[in-house]
Short mmCIF file of all heavy atoms in Angstrom, two decimals:
data_model
loop_
_atom_site.label_atom_id
_atom_site.label_comp_id
_atom_site.label_asym_id
_atom_site.label_seq_id
_atom_site.Cartn_x
_atom_site.Cartn_y
_atom_site.Cartn_z
N SER P 1 -121.99 -149.21 -86.80
CA SER P 1 -121.42 -147.86 -86.71
C SER P 1 -121.87 -147.07 -87.93
O SER P 1 -122.40 -147.62 -88.90
CB SER P 1 -119.90 -147.93 -86.66
OG SER P 1 -119.38 -148.42 -87.90
N LEU P 2 -121.66 -145.76 -87.92
CA LEU P 2 -122.04 -144.92 -89.04
C LEU P 2 -121.31 -145.33 -90.30
O LEU P 2 -121.89 -145.36 -91.40
CB LEU P 2 -121.75 -143.45 -88.71
CG LEU P 2 -122.09 -142.44 -89.82
CD1 LEU P 2 -123.58 -142.50 -90.17
CD2 LEU P 2 -121.69 -141.03 -89.40
N ALA P 3 -120.02 -145.66 -90.16
CA ALA P 3 -119.24 -146.07 -91.33
C ALA P 3 -119.78 -147.38 -91.91
O ALA P 3 -119.86 -147.54 -93.14
CB ALA P 3 -117.77 -146.24 -90.93
N GLU P 4 -120.18 -148.31 -91.05
CA GLU P 4 -120.72 -149.58 -91.52
C GLU P 4 -122.08 -149.39 -92.20
O GLU P 4 -122.37 -150.03 -93.21
CB GLU P 4 -120.83 -150.56 -90.36
CG GLU P 4 -119.48 -151.04 -89.84
CD GLU P 4 -119.60 -151.83 -88.54
OE1 GLU P 4 -120.56 -151.59 -87.78
OE2 GLU P 4 -118.72 -152.67 -88.29
N GLN P 5 -122.90 -148.51 -91.64
CA GLN P 5 -124.19 -148.22 -92.27
C GLN P 5 -123.99 -147.63 -93.66
O GLN P 5 -124.66 -148.02 -94.62
CB GLN P 5 -124.99 -147.26 -91.39
CG GLN P 5 -125.43 -147.84 -90.06
CD GLN P 5 -126.26 -146.86 -89.27
OE1 GLN P 5 -127.10 -146.15 -89.82
NE2 GLN P 5 -126.04 -146.80 -87.96
N THR P 6 -123.07 -146.68 -93.76
CA THR P 6 -122.78 -146.05 -95.05
C THR P 6 -122.28 -147.07 -96.06
O THR P 6 -122.67 -147.06 -97.23
CB THR P 6 -121.75 -144.93 -94.87
OG1 THR P 6 -122.22 -143.98 -93.90
CG2 THR P 6 -121.48 -144.22 -96.19
N MET P 7 -121.40 -147.95 -95.59
CA MET P 7 -120.84 -148.96 -96.47
C MET P 7 -121.92 -149.92 -96.99
O MET P 7 -121.98 -150.22 -98.19
CB MET P 7 -119.77 -149.76 -95.71
CG MET P 7 -119.13 -150.89 -96.51
SD MET P 7 -117.80 -151.69 -95.58
CE MET P 7 -118.71 -152.30 -94.15
N ILE P 8 -122.80 -150.37 -96.10
CA ILE P 8 -123.85 -151.31 -96.48
C ILE P 8 -124.84 -150.67 -97.45
O ILE P 8 -125.17 -151.23 -98.51
CB ILE P 8 -124.58 -151.84 -95.23
CG1 ILE P 8 -123.64 -152.73 -94.41
CG2 ILE P 8 -125.83 -152.62 -95.63
CD1 ILE P 8 -124.22 -153.17 -93.08
N LEU P 9 -125.32 -149.48 -97.08
CA LEU P 9 -126.30 -148.81 -97.94
C LEU P 9 -125.69 -148.39 -99.28
O LEU P 9 -126.36 -148.43 -100.32
CB LEU P 9 -126.89 -147.60 -97.20
CG LEU P 9 -127.70 -147.93 -95.94
CD1 LEU P 9 -128.13 -146.65 -95.24
CD2 LEU P 9 -128.91 -148.79 -96.29
N GLY P 10 -124.43 -148.00 -99.25
CA GLY P 10 -123.75 -147.65 -100.49
C GLY P 10 -123.60 -148.85 -101.41
O GLY P 10 -123.82 -148.76 -102.62
N ALA P 11 -123.24 -150.00 -100.81
CA ALA P 11 -123.10 -151.23 -101.60
C ALA P 11 -124.44 -151.65 -102.21
O ALA P 11 -124.50 -152.04 -103.39
CB ALA P 11 -122.54 -152.35 -100.72
N ALA P 12 -125.50 -151.53 -101.42
CA ALA P 12 -126.83 -151.89 -101.92
C ALA P 12 -127.26 -150.97 -103.05
O ALA P 12 -127.83 -151.42 -104.06
CB ALA P 12 -127.84 -151.86 -100.78
N ALA P 13 -126.99 -149.67 -102.90
CA ALA P 13 -127.36 -148.71 -103.94
C ALA P 13 -126.58 -148.95 -105.22
O ALA P 13 -127.15 -148.93 -106.33
CB ALA P 13 -127.14 -147.28 -103.43
N VAL P 14 -125.28 -149.17 -105.09
CA VAL P 14 -124.44 -149.42 -106.28
C VAL P 14 -124.89 -150.70 -106.98
O VAL P 14 -125.03 -150.74 -108.21
CB VAL P 14 -122.96 -149.51 -105.89
CG1 VAL P 14 -122.13 -150.02 -107.06
CG2 VAL P 14 -122.44 -148.14 -105.45
N GLY P 15 -125.12 -151.77 -106.21
CA GLY P 15 -125.55 -153.03 -106.80
C GLY P 15 -126.89 -152.92 -107.50
O GLY P 15 -127.05 -153.39 -108.64
N ALA P 16 -127.86 -152.28 -106.84
CA ALA P 16 -129.20 -152.15 -107.42
C ALA P 16 -129.19 -151.27 -108.65
O ALA P 16 -129.83 -151.58 -109.67
CB ALA P 16 -130.17 -151.61 -106.37
N LEU P 17 -128.45 -150.15 -108.60
CA LEU P 17 -128.42 -149.24 -109.74
C LEU P 17 -127.61 -149.83 -110.91
O LEU P 17 -127.92 -149.56 -112.08
CB LEU P 17 -127.83 -147.89 -109.32
CG LEU P 17 -128.74 -147.04 -108.44
CD1 LEU P 17 -128.00 -145.80 -107.94
CD2 LEU P 17 -130.01 -146.63 -109.18
N ALA P 18 -126.59 -150.61 -110.59
CA ALA P 18 -125.84 -151.28 -111.66
C ALA P 18 -126.75 -152.22 -112.44
O ALA P 18 -126.70 -152.30 -113.67
CB ALA P 18 -124.65 -152.04 -111.08
N TYR P 19 -127.62 -152.93 -111.71
CA TYR P 19 -128.56 -153.83 -112.37
C TYR P 19 -129.65 -153.04 -113.10
O TYR P 19 -130.13 -153.47 -114.15
CB TYR P 19 -129.18 -154.76 -111.33
CG TYR P 19 -129.90 -155.94 -111.94
CD1 TYR P 19 -129.27 -156.76 -112.87
CD2 TYR P 19 -131.21 -156.26 -111.57
CE1 TYR P 19 -129.92 -157.84 -113.43
CE2 TYR P 19 -131.86 -157.35 -112.12
CZ TYR P 19 -131.21 -158.14 -113.05
OH TYR P 19 -131.86 -159.21 -113.61
N THR P 20 -130.02 -151.89 -112.55
CA THR P 20 -131.02 -151.03 -113.19
C THR P 20 -130.62 -150.70 -114.62
O THR P 20 -131.45 -150.75 -115.54
CB THR P 20 -131.19 -149.72 -112.40
OG1 THR P 20 -131.65 -150.01 -111.08
CG2 THR P 20 -132.19 -148.80 -113.09
N PHE P 21 -129.35 -150.36 -114.81
CA PHE P 21 -128.88 -149.90 -116.12
C PHE P 21 -128.15 -150.99 -116.90
O PHE P 21 -127.51 -150.69 -117.90
CB PHE P 21 -127.98 -148.68 -115.94
CG PHE P 21 -128.70 -147.49 -115.36
CD1 PHE P 21 -128.57 -147.16 -114.02
CD2 PHE P 21 -129.54 -146.72 -116.14
CE1 PHE P 21 -129.24 -146.08 -113.48
CE2 PHE P 21 -130.22 -145.63 -115.61
CZ PHE P 21 -130.07 -145.31 -114.27
N SER P 22 -128.27 -152.24 -116.45
CA SER P 22 -127.66 -153.33 -117.21
C SER P 22 -128.44 -153.55 -118.50
O SER P 22 -129.66 -153.34 -118.56
CB SER P 22 -127.62 -154.62 -116.38
OG SER P 22 -128.92 -155.04 -116.04
N ASP P 23 -127.76 -154.00 -119.52
CA ASP P 23 -128.32 -154.04 -120.87
C ASP P 23 -129.57 -154.93 -120.97
O ASP P 23 -130.64 -154.48 -121.38
CB ASP P 23 -127.24 -154.53 -121.84
CG ASP P 23 -127.69 -154.47 -123.29
OD1 ASP P 23 -127.81 -153.35 -123.82
OD2 ASP P 23 -127.93 -155.53 -123.87
N SER P 24 -129.44 -156.19 -120.60
CA SER P 24 -130.54 -157.14 -120.78
C SER P 24 -131.75 -156.78 -119.93
O SER P 24 -132.90 -156.85 -120.39
CB SER P 24 -130.08 -158.57 -120.43
OG SER P 24 -129.08 -158.99 -121.33
N PHE P 25 -131.51 -156.38 -118.67
CA PHE P 25 -132.63 -156.07 -117.79
C PHE P 25 -133.37 -154.82 -118.25
O PHE P 25 -134.61 -154.76 -118.20
CB PHE P 25 -132.12 -155.88 -116.35
CG PHE P 25 -133.23 -155.78 -115.34
CD1 PHE P 25 -133.95 -156.90 -114.96
CD2 PHE P 25 -133.57 -154.55 -114.78
CE1 PHE P 25 -134.99 -156.81 -114.05
CE2 PHE P 25 -134.61 -154.45 -113.87
CZ PHE P 25 -135.32 -155.58 -113.51
N TRP P 26 -132.63 -153.82 -118.70
CA TRP P 26 -133.25 -152.59 -119.19
C TRP P 26 -134.12 -152.88 -120.42
O TRP P 26 -135.22 -152.35 -120.57
CB TRP P 26 -132.17 -151.55 -119.51
CG TRP P 26 -132.66 -150.14 -119.68
CD1 TRP P 26 -133.96 -149.72 -119.82
CD2 TRP P 26 -131.86 -148.95 -119.72
NE1 TRP P 26 -134.02 -148.36 -119.96
CE2 TRP P 26 -132.75 -147.85 -119.90
CE3 TRP P 26 -130.49 -148.71 -119.63
CZ2 TRP P 26 -132.30 -146.54 -119.99
CZ3 TRP P 26 -130.03 -147.40 -119.72
CH2 TRP P 26 -130.92 -146.33 -119.89
N PHE P 27 -133.62 -153.76 -121.29
CA PHE P 27 -134.39 -154.10 -122.48
C PHE P 27 -135.73 -154.73 -122.09
O PHE P 27 -136.77 -154.38 -122.65
CB PHE P 27 -133.60 -155.08 -123.36
CG PHE P 27 -132.93 -154.43 -124.54
CD1 PHE P 27 -131.69 -153.85 -124.41
CD2 PHE P 27 -133.57 -154.38 -125.77
CE1 PHE P 27 -131.07 -153.22 -125.49
CE2 PHE P 27 -132.96 -153.77 -126.86
CZ PHE P 27 -131.71 -153.19 -126.71
N SER P 28 -135.73 -155.67 -121.15
CA SER P 28 -136.98 -156.34 -120.77
C SER P 28 -137.90 -155.43 -119.97
O SER P 28 -139.11 -155.68 -119.88
CB SER P 28 -136.66 -157.60 -119.95
OG SER P 28 -136.11 -157.27 -118.69
N ALA P 29 -137.33 -154.36 -119.39
CA ALA P 29 -138.12 -153.46 -118.55
C ALA P 29 -138.98 -152.49 -119.35
O ALA P 29 -139.87 -151.86 -118.79
CB ALA P 29 -137.19 -152.66 -117.63
N VAL P 30 -138.74 -152.36 -120.63
CA VAL P 30 -139.42 -151.33 -121.41
C VAL P 30 -140.35 -151.90 -122.47
O VAL P 30 -140.82 -151.18 -123.34
CB VAL P 30 -138.40 -150.37 -122.07
CG1 VAL P 30 -137.60 -149.63 -121.02
CG2 VAL P 30 -137.47 -151.14 -123.01
N GLU P 31 -140.63 -153.21 -122.41
CA GLU P 31 -141.50 -153.82 -123.41
C GLU P 31 -142.45 -154.82 -122.77
O GLU P 31 -142.23 -155.29 -121.65
CB GLU P 31 -140.66 -154.51 -124.50
CG GLU P 31 -139.77 -155.63 -123.98
CD GLU P 31 -138.90 -156.23 -125.06
OE1 GLU P 31 -138.79 -155.62 -126.14
OE2 GLU P 31 -138.34 -157.31 -124.82
N GLY P 32 -143.53 -155.15 -123.48
CA GLY P 32 -144.57 -156.02 -122.94
C GLY P 32 -144.25 -157.48 -123.08
O GLY P 32 -144.90 -158.22 -123.84
N GLU P 33 -143.25 -157.94 -122.34
CA GLU P 33 -142.87 -159.35 -122.31
C GLU P 33 -142.97 -159.87 -120.87
O GLU P 33 -143.13 -159.10 -119.93
CB GLU P 33 -141.45 -159.54 -122.85
CG GLU P 33 -141.38 -160.29 -124.18
CD GLU P 33 -141.57 -161.79 -124.03
OE1 GLU P 33 -141.87 -162.25 -122.92
OE2 GLU P 33 -141.40 -162.50 -125.03
N VAL P 34 -142.84 -161.20 -120.72
CA VAL P 34 -143.05 -161.82 -119.41
C VAL P 34 -141.86 -161.67 -118.47
O VAL P 34 -141.99 -161.87 -117.26
CB VAL P 34 -143.38 -163.32 -119.56
CG1 VAL P 34 -144.67 -163.51 -120.31
CG2 VAL P 34 -142.23 -164.06 -120.26
N TYR P 35 -140.69 -161.32 -118.97
CA TYR P 35 -139.47 -161.39 -118.17
C TYR P 35 -139.42 -160.35 -117.05
O TYR P 35 -138.88 -160.61 -115.98
CB TYR P 35 -138.25 -161.28 -119.08
CG TYR P 35 -138.22 -162.34 -120.13
CD1 TYR P 35 -138.38 -162.03 -121.47
CD2 TYR P 35 -138.07 -163.69 -119.78
CE1 TYR P 35 -138.39 -163.02 -122.45
CE2 TYR P 35 -138.08 -164.68 -120.74
CZ TYR P 35 -138.24 -164.34 -122.08
OH TYR P 35 -138.26 -165.34 -123.02
#
């Protein structure tokens, strides 16, 4: 249903963006390391 689609896509966006701005991952994303 439309509500279920919104819920799934919203959860995926929140989860992915939360990891985007997480401290450790952001640090490794901006420097020339293997991680």
Side-chain angles (χ1 to χ4, degrees):
S1 67
L2 179 60
E4 290 171 333
Q5 293 182 40
T6 303
M7 178 176 61
I8 292 174
L9 296 175
V14 169
L17 288 173
Y19 194 52
T20 299
F21 296 102
S22 62
D23 186 71
S24 296
F25 189 75
W26 196 347
F27 259 86
S28 68
V30 297
E31 61 183 14
E33 248 283 7
V34 297
Y35 302 112

